[in-house]
Each structure stands twice: as structure tokens, then as C-alpha cells.
Amino acid sequence: RRRDPLTSCFNGPFFRNELKTLAESGDLQGLFFLDMDNLKATNDHFGHAAGDRLIRETSQALVSLVREVMGRFGEVFRLHGDEFVVLVKRGAPPMPQLIQSLLDGRAHVRNLSLGGAGYEPGQPLWELVGRAEQAMYHDKAARRERPVTG
């Protein structure tokens, strides 16, 4: 039971195991924390079936984008609700390049706020996740201040 039934992405419990395994093996480069924007409004106006459809569509677009940008060095996990994490394995492009590539590619996944953080060996894993989550909240706040285009 490593897969989320709604999206077919890996699930939260498997994320925690993989994060620890990659850190212990020296293969963890970093991670991205992603959160969907305005899912509650979709659920409130169109119902939870529409929200589930949006979560599935978003996860499919995210998986496609991660494969395009990171190949076998990135994996998408759905933590719960509208939160996703992408684990970045050693061998992927540098984190700043990945951040820019995901931001550029976000045109195909418009409803996501994202934040990334690189892993430093020995760093507590909760700290890594917290830094990526804080960067995501910063992105979410900045996106609220900008008008949506395209």
C-alpha cells in the first residue's frame, strides 16, 4: 500500500520511509513541497467530486512535469488532501536549476504553489521539510499578490 488511491502517486507513509532511506544512503538531494491553490473554492462551488477530479488532473500534470525535468531522479508523493512532495535524488540537476525549471513548467500546472529546499547531510529531516514548506507558503503569498495571466 505505497500508492494513494485517488492519484496513484506514492502516499504519505511511503514518503516518510523513502525520505529517511534516501538520507541514510546519501542519495537525498532535496525536496519540493507543493500545495494546490483554491481547492476549497472548487469543493464549495462544484462539489467534492469536482475537487477530486482537480486533484487527479493536477497530480497527473505534476508527475509529467517532474518526469520531464528530473527523469528518474524525482518522485511525486501525495501527502494528504491537496499537498504533494517531490523527493529529489542525488544525480538530479542542482536545486536552483530545478526550482527554476519547475517554476517555468508551472504554466502546465497553474494551481500549485511550490517551495524547495536542498538537503545538507546530517540535517534533521523535519527541518528540511519545514524549510521547503515555508518556501511554498512564501510562493503562495506572492502568487496571491500577482494577477493571474494566461
Side-chain angles (χ1 to χ4, degrees), residues 63-76 86-89 91-93 98 102:
V63 166
S64 177
L65 177 61
V66 166
R67 282 189 187 135
E68 179 183 321
V69 170
M70 292 181 228
R72 63 186 174 93
F73 300 108
E75 203 63 64
V76 178
V86 176
L87 281 180
V88 181
K89 299 173 187 173
L98 290 176
L102 288 176

Coordinates of all heavy atoms in Angstrom, one line a residue, residues 63-76 86-89 91-93 98 102:
V63 N 3.2 14.9 -12.1 CA 4.0 13.8 -12.4 C 4.7 13.9 -13.8 O 5.9 13.7 -13.9 CB 3.2 12.5 -12.3 CG1 4.0 11.3 -12.9 CG2 2.8 12.2 -10.9
S64 N 4.0 14.4 -14.7 CA 4.5 14.6 -16.1 C 5.6 15.6 -16.0 O 6.7 15.4 -16.6 CB 3.4 15.0 -17.0 OG 3.9 15.3 -18.3
L65 N 5.4 16.7 -15.3 CA 6.4 17.8 -15.3 C 7.7 17.3 -14.5 O 8.8 17.6 -15.0 CB 5.8 19.0 -14.5 CG 6.8 20.2 -14.3 CD1 7.3 20.8 -15.6 CD2 6.0 21.3 -13.5
V66 N 7.5 16.6 -13.5 CA 8.7 16.1 -12.7 C 9.4 15.1 -13.6 O 10.7 15.1 -13.6 CB 8.2 15.4 -11.4 CG1 9.3 14.6 -10.7 CG2 7.7 16.5 -10.4
R67 N 8.8 14.2 -14.3 CA 9.5 13.3 -15.2 C 10.3 14.0 -16.2 O 11.4 13.7 -16.6 CB 8.5 12.3 -15.9 CG 8.0 11.2 -14.9 CD 7.3 10.2 -15.7 NE 6.7 9.2 -14.7 CZ 5.5 8.8 -14.8 NH1 4.7 9.2 -15.7 NH2 5.0 7.9 -13.9
E68 N 9.7 15.1 -16.8 CA 10.3 15.9 -17.8 C 11.5 16.6 -17.3 O 12.6 16.6 -17.9 CB 9.3 16.9 -18.4 CG 9.9 17.8 -19.5 CD 8.9 18.9 -19.9 OE1 7.7 18.5 -20.0 OE2 9.3 20.0 -20.1
V69 N 11.4 17.2 -16.1 CA 12.5 18.0 -15.5 C 13.6 17.1 -14.8 O 14.8 17.4 -14.9 CB 11.9 19.0 -14.5 CG1 13.0 19.7 -13.8 CG2 11.1 20.0 -15.3
M70 N 13.2 16.0 -14.1 CA 14.1 15.3 -13.3 C 14.3 13.9 -13.7 O 15.2 13.2 -13.2 CB 13.6 15.3 -11.8 CG 13.6 16.6 -11.2 SD 13.0 16.4 -9.5 CE 11.9 17.8 -9.4
G71 N 13.5 13.4 -14.6 CA 13.7 12.0 -15.0 C 13.5 11.0 -13.9 O 12.6 11.2 -13.0
R72 N 14.4 10.1 -13.7 CA 14.4 9.1 -12.7 C 14.8 9.6 -11.3 O 14.9 8.9 -10.3 CB 15.1 7.8 -13.0 CG 16.6 8.1 -13.2 CD 17.3 6.8 -13.8 NE 18.7 7.1 -14.1 CZ 19.7 6.9 -13.3 NH1 19.5 6.4 -12.0 NH2 20.9 7.2 -13.6
F73 N 15.2 10.9 -11.3 CA 15.8 11.4 -10.0 C 14.8 12.2 -9.2 O 15.1 12.9 -8.2 CB 17.0 12.4 -10.4 CG 18.1 11.6 -11.0 CD1 18.3 11.9 -12.4 CD2 18.9 10.7 -10.4 CE1 19.4 11.2 -13.0 CE2 19.9 10.0 -11.0 CZ 20.1 10.3 -12.4
G74 N 13.5 12.1 -9.6 CA 12.4 12.8 -8.8 C 11.2 11.9 -8.7 O 10.9 11.1 -9.6
E75 N 10.6 11.9 -7.6 CA 9.4 11.1 -7.4 C 8.3 11.9 -6.6 O 8.6 12.7 -5.7 CB 9.7 9.9 -6.5 CG 8.8 8.7 -6.7 CD 8.8 8.2 -8.1 OE1 9.8 7.7 -8.6 OE2 7.7 8.3 -8.7
V76 N 7.0 11.8 -7.1 CA 5.9 12.6 -6.5 C 5.2 11.7 -5.5 O 4.8 10.6 -5.8 CB 5.0 13.0 -7.7 CG1 3.8 13.8 -7.1 CG2 5.7 13.8 -8.7
V86 N 7.8 16.3 -3.7 CA 8.6 15.7 -4.7 C 10.0 15.5 -4.0 O 10.6 16.5 -3.6 CB 8.8 16.6 -6.0 CG1 9.8 16.0 -6.9 CG2 7.5 16.9 -6.6
L87 N 10.4 14.2 -3.9 CA 11.7 13.9 -3.5 C 12.7 14.0 -4.6 O 12.5 13.5 -5.7 CB 11.8 12.5 -2.8 CG 11.2 12.4 -1.4 CD1 11.4 10.9 -1.0 CD2 12.0 13.3 -0.5
V88 N 13.8 14.7 -4.4 CA 14.9 14.8 -5.4 C 16.1 14.0 -5.0 O 16.6 14.1 -3.9 CB 15.3 16.3 -5.5 CG1 16.3 16.5 -6.6 CG2 14.1 17.2 -5.8
K89 N 16.4 13.1 -5.9 CA 17.5 12.1 -5.6 C 18.9 12.7 -6.1 O 18.9 13.5 -7.1 CB 17.3 10.8 -6.2 CG 16.0 10.1 -5.7 CD 15.7 8.9 -6.4 CE 14.3 8.3 -6.0 NZ 13.9 7.2 -6.9
G91 N 22.0 13.1 -8.3 CA 22.1 12.9 -9.7 C 21.2 13.8 -10.5 O 21.4 14.0 -11.7
A92 N 20.2 14.4 -9.8 CA 19.3 15.4 -10.5 C 20.1 16.7 -10.7 O 21.1 16.9 -10.1 CB 18.1 15.7 -9.6
P93 N 19.6 17.6 -11.5 CA 20.2 18.9 -11.7 C 20.3 19.6 -10.3 O 19.5 19.2 -9.4 CB 19.3 19.6 -12.7 CG 18.7 18.5 -13.5 CD 18.5 17.4 -12.5
L98 N 16.5 23.2 -10.7 CA 15.2 22.5 -10.6 C 14.1 23.5 -10.2 O 13.0 23.4 -10.8 CB 15.3 21.4 -9.6 CG 16.1 20.2 -10.0 CD1 16.2 19.2 -8.8 CD2 15.6 19.5 -11.2
L102 N 10.9 24.0 -12.5 CA 9.5 23.8 -12.1 C 8.7 25.0 -12.1 O 7.5 25.0 -12.5 CB 9.5 23.2 -10.7 CG 10.0 21.7 -10.6 CD1 10.0 21.3 -9.1 CD2 9.1 20.8 -11.4

